[in-house]
Amino acid sequence: QAQLVESGGGSVQAGQSLTLSCAASEYTYDLMGWFRQVPGKEREGVAALKTGNLNTYYADSVKGRFTISQDNAKKFVYLQMNSLKPEDTAMYYCAASPRLPWGNVDFLEALYYHYWGQGTQVTVSS
């Protein structure tokens, strides 16, 4: 069974950095993503990565501050978060899809992801 495990969350002050890690199971995935959610709001796509060609996609709110990457063995996906803001406070989830969705799609849409981690909390104070 596919399993994703996030780590690296914590509490920081505005302007600081955090790196989230997502450990994948023995499976490999064509598409990996990071999402975040605050209570009462919908889950928001933050960053996505096509593991084959390493194309990346970012929400406008994090462009230039967040970077998604993977290790060479494709067993870990990372989200480097710099210049954190209080509005980045959320539960962050790793997500994966074994295959790329067809067509011209928005890779930051949660519906294209089949597997999800349990989440790791990020809290940014001002």
Side-chain angles (χ1 to χ4, degrees):
Q1 183 175 353
Q3 184 177 11
L4 303 173
V5 180
E6 304 97 334
S7 62
S11 296
V12 297
Q13 292 190 328
Q16 293 185 326
S17 299
L18 276 176
T19 299
L20 305 183
S21 299
C22 174
S25 63
E26 64 272 20
Y27 300 101
T28 56
Y29 307 98
D30 286 352
L31 181 66
M32 300 290 296
W34 285 97
F35 291 75
R36 65 188 181 187
Q37 189 170 23
V38 297
K41 291 190 175 182
E42 290 189 2
R43 193 166 293 190
E44 173 192 20
V46 175
L49 169 72
K50 289 183 181 177
T51 62
N53 61 16
L54 301 183
N55 282 359
T56 56
Y57 307 84
Y58 297 96
D60 289 342
S61 58
V62 306
K63 277 181 183 177
R65 300 188 299 122
F66 290 12
T67 302
I68 186 171
S69 63
Q70 67 177 6
D71 70 317
N72 290 337
K74 298 185 180 180
K75 294 304 181 186
F76 287 88
V77 173
Y78 306 101
L79 185 68
Q80 173 68 41
M81 305 185 294
N82 297 327
S83 302
L84 282 162
K85 304 175 181 181
E87 50 264 43
D88 294 319
T89 295
M91 184 71 77
Y92 282 73
Y93 298 90
C94 178
S97 175
R99 295 291 181 265
L100 288 175
W102 286 97
N104 185 22
V105 303
D106 181 356
F107 293 108
L108 297 179
E109 287 285 347
L111 65 93
Y112 296 118
Y113 294 81
H114 296 74
Y115 304 110
W116 294 83
Q118 294 300 307
T120 185
Q121 178 68 36
V122 172
T123 302
V124 185
S125 58
S126 58

